[in-house]
Amino acid sequence: MNEVENKMTTWIGSDFHWGHKNIMHHCPATRGHYRDVAHMNEDMCQRWNSIVGQNDLVYMLGDIAFMSGYDASKIISGLNGRKILIIGNHDSKSVRDYNFRKCFEEIHHYLEVKYNDRRLVMMHYPLMEWNQCHHGAIHLHGHLHQNPSGLERYRARNVGWDFTGRFLSTMEEIIEDAMRGEIKRHGNGEQPVM
């Protein structure tokens, strides 16, 4: 497990979908106001660079872009901060591209870190159970856009813009919110329905 030092701002987000025309229709609350994909892409880059500093760290929990890895790399390389990618279902082709891969310090399918003494389990997809969930570990995911996972009562949080309404969240904001959730019991501690 990696130990993350908190000497800069650490951000987290998911499901950016740069270049995805249909996302404007699928997620109208956050993206319905864009004129076209170029407008969305430009605004998202401006949003990012207005809040992320050069030395900040950003965990990107998948579904970065709907374009070639090379074209996505041109966008990502212009974004402030150091980036760690947790691969989403729409990233499988992009990660084959060298230019895309070199935009990230690390690339994972699943990642566990300790952040300010909290165990975090990150994956693009929501997990019904995650490592140490019954000991209070926090699960961070994306994938569902504006749809709830059913895990919100526990220490599991969708960090995507379309769900939170925040383009990026600080790790502290997400952890504080997650800590309001119940500790998920192993197997949920419920008796099976017969």
Side-chain angles (χ1 to χ4, degrees):
M1 179 160 43
N2 299 332
E3 188 72 32
V4 176
E5 290 185 29
N6 192 16
K7 295 182 180 176
M8 70 288 163
T9 302
T10 301
W11 301 91
I12 190 165
S14 182
D15 299 283
F16 300 100
H17 289 255
W18 269 283
H20 187 193
K21 180 180 179 181
N22 288 336
I23 200 73
M24 295 182 289
H25 303 290
H26 296 314
C27 300
T30 49
R31 304 169 198 252
H33 64 285
Y34 293 122
R35 293 184 305 274
D36 53 32
V37 171
H39 180 220
M40 180 178 73
N41 289 350
E42 181 181 335
D43 180 67
M44 289 168 58
C45 291
Q46 288 175 354
R47 282 176 188 248
W48 181 292
N49 287 334
S50 72
I51 60 174
V52 176
Q54 287 296 339
N55 296 318
D56 290 354
L57 178 64
V58 185
Y59 288 94
M60 300 173 77
L61 271 57
D63 287 5
I64 306 306
F66 268 55
M67 58 183 71
S68 73
Y70 178 74
D71 288 341
S73 73
K74 290 192 267 184
I75 290 174
I76 298 164
S77 64
L79 302 176
N80 291 342
R82 300 165 30 240
K83 300 158 201 81
I84 295 176
L85 172 63
I86 311 299
I87 297 171
N89 53 300
H90 295 295
D91 301 316
S92 58
K93 289 182 183 175
S94 296
V95 296
R96 294 182 203 145
D97 184 277
Y98 170 77
N99 296 293
F100 182 82
R101 288 193 314 272
K102 75 178 188 177
C103 292
F104 302 96
E105 285 188 6
E106 300 174 22
I107 298 175
H108 305 272
H109 286 279
Y110 170 97
L111 180 64
E112 290 186 29
V113 298
K114 199 164 187 185
Y115 185 91
N116 291 346
D117 295 322
R118 297 284 176 204
R119 181 183 296 264
L120 308 178
V121 174
M122 292 181 266
M123 190 169 184
H124 176 66
Y125 309 99
L127 298 169
M128 186 59 79
E129 289 204 1
W130 53 96
N131 189 27
Q132 299 294 312
C133 65
H134 54 290
H135 291 293
I138 296 169
H139 172 41
L140 305 175
H141 67 86
H143 186 63
L144 300 178
H145 295 277
Q146 69 273 12
N147 300 312
S149 66
L151 298 169
E152 290 77 18
R153 74 182 245 207
Y154 303 112
R155 293 184 178 179
R157 293 295 179 265
N158 182 340
V159 300
W161 173 29
D162 302 315
F163 189 81
T164 66
R166 294 186 302 266
F167 184 67
L168 289 166
S169 300
T170 67
M171 193 65 86
E172 288 79 9
E173 289 171 325
I174 291 294
I175 290 172
E176 181 181 341
D177 185 51
M179 291 302 293
R180 294 185 189 107
E182 299 172 32
I183 293 176
K184 191 172 192 309
R185 296 181 186 188
H186 189 61
N188 202 26
E190 297 174 358
Q191 296 297 318
V193 177
M194 302 301 253

